[in-house]
C-alpha cells in the first residue's frame, strides 16, 4: 500500500505547521487546577489564523472558496493540531461543512460554506446522544410541523359512483420540521453558530438536522469535558426548522460519523507522537547511576513498543481515510476500516500516555509540565465516539454479516 501524500496534501501539512507553531499547550489554566472549564471560549486568534491560512476551507469545493482537498488532507492538519492541543473545533466544523456540501441543500450550502471557510461561522455536532452509550440519532426525534400540510389525504367522497377513482395524491412534503430531544457532550456548543444534530423520523430513519444556537426552544446546559474544555448539553424543545435544514439522505449521518471518527484517530496519532517525542527528550536527559535512563534496556523496550503502537495507528488511519475519501474496494464496508482505526487509536493513545507517565516518574504529574494536559486530552480522545470495546463489537457484527469466502 502506497501512502505517499500528494503535493497538495504536503502543502496543507506545511501550512498547518506554520499556523500551529506559535501555539502553546499550556496557554490556558490546567484542568487539574480549575473547578470548571479552562476557558470560556475557543482560541479565537488561532481560529482566525486557520482561516487566514485557508485551512478551514481546505476540503470545501472551489465554488465555495475552498481548495477541494479530501479527508486525508484534513487528517494531516488535525494531526498537527493535536501536537499542540489546539483548542479549536477544527474537526467538527470541517466535518459538518463536508456533510453539508455532500448531502445538504444547494442553496443553504452556498450561503454557509463560504462563511465557514472565512472563519465567520463555527460549526459543531452532537454525536453522543443522551448518554454517550446509545446511538446518537435515537436521542432526538424529528417530525413534520402540523401546519406544514404533510400527510393530508384527499377529501372524503360524499356519494357513491361507478367511475374509477383516481389514486390519492402523495402527501405534500413538509415545509418545516420540529425537533425534540437531547444531545449531550456537544464540543464547544456555546461557541458554535450552528449545531448538526442527528435525529430519527417516525419510521426510524436517521436524518441530520442543522440548528442555530439562537433557534427558539434550544437551550444549552454547561458541561465540562475530561480535558477541561467547555462542552454543552443541547436540549431541543419543539425547535422548528425549515425543510432545507433537514438532511435526509440515507447515509448522511453514518458518513458524518465516520468522518468524525477518522478525524478523532488523526488527533490521537498527533497527540501520541508529541508525547513520545516529549518522553524521548526527557529520558535522554534524565540520568540515573551516571547514565541517561534512555540507555536502559527496560526503558528502550517500552519506548519501542509505543513507537510500534503509533505506526499501527498511522497505517490504519490512512487506510480508513482513503476508503472514506476514495471509496476504495475492500472485503468489508468502509465501516470496518473505521472500526479498526478507532480500536488502534483508542488503545494506542492510552498506552502511549501511560508509558510516558511511567517513564517520567513523578515529574509527569507536575502541573507546571505539560504532560498531564496531554494525558487528559488523550483520555478524552480515547472515549470520543466510542472506546475500543464499542468498535470491537461493531467490527464483530460486520464480520458476522460479511463472511469471507
Amino acid at each position: 500500500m502506497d501512502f505517499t501524500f500528494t503535493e497538495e496534501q504536503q502543502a496543507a501539512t506545511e501550512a498547518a505547521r506554520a499556523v500551529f507553531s506559535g501555539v502553546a499547550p499550556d496557554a490556558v489554566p490546567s484542568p487539574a487546577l480549575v473547578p470548571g472549564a479552562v476557558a470560556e471560549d475557543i482560541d479565537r486568534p488561532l481560529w482566525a489564523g486557520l482561516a487566514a491560512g485557508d485551512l478551514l476551507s481546505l476540503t470545501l469545493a472551489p465554488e465555495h472558496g475552498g481548495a477541494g482537498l479530501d479527508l486525508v488532507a484534513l487528517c494531516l492538519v488535525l494531526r498537527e493540531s493535536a501536537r499542540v492541543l489546539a483548542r479549536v473545533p477544527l474537526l467538527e466544523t470541517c466535518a459538518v461543512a463536508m456533510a453539508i456540501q455532500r448531502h445538504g441543500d444547494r442553496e443553504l450550502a452556498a450561503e454557509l460554506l463560504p462563511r465557514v471557510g472565512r472563519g465567520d461561522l463555527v460549526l459543531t455536532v452532537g454525536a453522543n446522544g443522551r448518554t454517550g452509550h446509545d446511538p446518537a440519532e435515537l436521542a432526538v426525534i424529528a417530525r413534520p410541523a402540523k401546519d406544514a400540510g404533510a400527510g393530508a389525504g384527499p377529501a372524503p367522497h360524499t356519494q357513491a359512483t361507478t367511475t374509477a377513482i383516481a389514486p390519492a395524491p402523495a402527501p405534500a412534503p413538509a415545509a418545516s420540521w420540529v425537533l425534540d430531544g437531547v444531545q449531550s457532550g456537544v464540543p464547544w456548543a456555546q461557541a458554535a453558530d450552528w449545531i448538526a444534530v442527528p435525529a430519527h423520523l417516525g419510521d426510524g430513519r436517521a436524518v441530520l438536522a442543522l440548528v442555530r444556537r439562537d433557534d427558539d426552544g434550544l437551550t444549552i446546559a454547561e458541561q465540562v469535558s475530561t480535558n477541561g474544555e467547555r462542552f454543552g448539553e443541547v436540549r431541543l424543545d419543539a425547535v422548528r426548522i425549515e425543510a432545507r435544514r433537514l438532511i435526509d439522505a440515507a447515509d448522511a449521518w453514518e458518513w458524518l460519523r465516520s468522518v468524525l471518527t477518522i478525524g478523532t484517530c488523526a488527533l490521537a496519532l498527533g497527540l501520541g507522537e508529541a508525547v513520545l517525542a516529549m518522553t524521548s527528550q526527557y529520558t535522554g536527559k534524565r540520568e540515573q547511576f551516571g547514565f541517561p535512563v534512555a540507555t536502559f534496556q527496560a526503558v528502550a523496550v517500552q519506548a519501542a513498543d509505543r513507537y510500534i503502537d503509533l505506526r499501527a495507528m498511522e497505517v490504519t488511519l490512512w487506510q480508513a481515510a482513503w476508503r472514506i475519501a476514495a471509496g476504495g474496494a475492500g472485503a468489508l464496508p468502509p465501516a470496518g476500516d473505521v472500526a479498526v482505526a478507532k480500536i488502534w487509536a483508542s488503545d494506542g493513545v492510552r498506552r502511549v500516555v501511560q508509558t510516558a507517565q511511567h517513564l517520567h516518574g513523578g515529574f509527569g504529574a507536575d502541573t507546571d509540565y505539560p504532560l498531564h494536559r496531554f494525558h487528559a486530552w488523550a483520555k478524552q480522545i480515547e472515549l470520543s465516539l466510542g472506546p475500543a470495546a464499542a468498535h470491537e463489537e461493531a467490527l464483530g457484527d460486520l464480520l458476522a454479516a460479511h463472511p469471507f469466502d
Side-chain angles (χ1 to χ4, degrees):
M1 185 65 66
D2 182 8
F3 287 128
T4 303
F5 299 114
T6 66
E7 292 183 3
E8 292 81 3
Q9 292 166 345
Q10 293 175 17
T13 303
E14 293 173 2
R17 287 174 180 167
V19 172
F20 293 123
S21 62
V23 178
D26 55 355
V28 293
S30 167
L33 301 178
V34 293
V38 296
E40 289 296 311
D41 198 7
I42 63 175
D43 188 341
R44 292 288 178 176
L46 177 57
W47 192 251
L50 290 169
D54 295 327
L55 293 174
L56 297 180
S57 60
L58 195 68
T59 56
L60 299 181
E63 64 192 81
H64 301 308
L69 299 186
D70 60 9
L71 177 59
V72 174
L74 175 60
C75 287
L76 286 167
V77 175
L78 291 169
R79 181 186 189 177
E80 298 301 321
S81 76
R83 295 177 190 271
V84 296
L85 307 183
R87 301 183 49 263
V88 287
L90 177 61
L91 169 58
E92 293 80 9
T93 292
C94 290
V96 173
M98 291 168 68
I100 295 173
Q101 179 174 262
R102 181 183 176 96
H103 297 289
D105 179 82
R106 299 285 184 181
E107 293 184 359
L108 185 62
E111 292 176 15
L112 297 183
L113 299 187
R115 297 179 62 196
V116 170
R118 295 193 300 267
D120 297 336
L121 289 181
V122 175
L123 311 179
T124 191
V125 55
N128 294 311
R130 184 181 293 271
T131 65
H133 299 289
D134 300 320
E137 66 272 18
L138 299 183
V140 176
I141 185 170
R143 65 181 190 278
K146 290 184 178 179
D147 58 352
H157 293 281
T158 57
Q159 64 181 45
T161 177
T162 57
T163 58
I165 299 176
S176 58
W177 293 80
V178 176
L179 306 171
D180 288 283
V182 175
Q183 288 288 343
S184 183
V186 179
W188 291 294
Q190 296 86 346
D193 301 289
W194 289 72
I195 304 172
V197 177
H200 69 281
L201 305 180
D203 60 4
R205 286 188 296 124
V207 296
L208 192 62
L210 303 173
V211 300
R212 289 194 297 262
R213 183 162 48 90
D214 58 356
D215 278 336
D216 291 338
L218 187 149
T219 56
I220 302 176
E222 188 84 5
Q223 292 181 321
V224 180
S225 65
T226 301
N227 58 351
E229 294 300 327
R230 196 179 184 201
F231 280 24
E233 180 188 75
V234 176
R235 185 172 296 274
L236 304 118
D237 184 9
V239 174
R240 184 166 179 156
I241 62 172
E242 55 189 320
R244 67 175 186 159
R245 288 205 263 153
L246 189 85
I247 301 175
D248 61 355
D251 64 338
W253 166 236
E254 180 181 355
W255 185 87
L256 175 56
R257 181 179 174 83
S258 293
V259 171
L260 291 167
T261 305
I262 293 304
T264 303
C265 295
L267 295 173
L269 177 61
L271 185 149
E273 289 173 332
V275 168
L276 188 61
M278 187 186 309
T279 305
S280 176
Q281 293 173 1
Y282 177 80
T283 56
K285 296 178 181 178
R286 175 76 165 87
E287 291 190 358
Q288 194 169 20
F289 307 115
F291 297 94
V293 297
T295 62
F296 298 165
Q297 185 178 24
V299 173
V301 167
Q302 291 183 69
D305 285 342
R306 300 296 77 83
Y307 176 82
I308 293 172
D309 278 335
L310 290 173
R311 297 291 68 81
M313 291 164 63
E314 183 176 17
V315 71
T316 55
L317 163 64
W318 300 132
Q319 168 72 10
W322 172 74
R323 287 290 307 277
I324 296 295
L332 290 176
D337 296 277
V338 173
V340 170
K342 188 57 166 68
I343 291 167
W344 272 105
S346 292
D347 281 345
V349 76
R350 185 189 69 251
R351 288 193 291 260
V352 168
V353 295
Q354 286 178 343
T355 297
Q357 290 281 11
H358 175 66
L359 296 182
H360 275 82
F363 199 52
D366 188 345
T367 55
D368 292 328
Y369 187 70
L371 180 59
H372 75 287
R373 297 176 184 272
F374 284 89
H375 202 154
W377 277 72
K379 181 56 66 175
Q380 179 70 33
I381 291 171
E382 176 194 347
L383 301 179
S384 293
L385 296 161
H391 291 274
E392 288 169 351
E393 182 178 353
L395 181 61
D397 292 340
L398 282 172
L399 290 171
H402 298 81
F404 296 103
D405 295 330

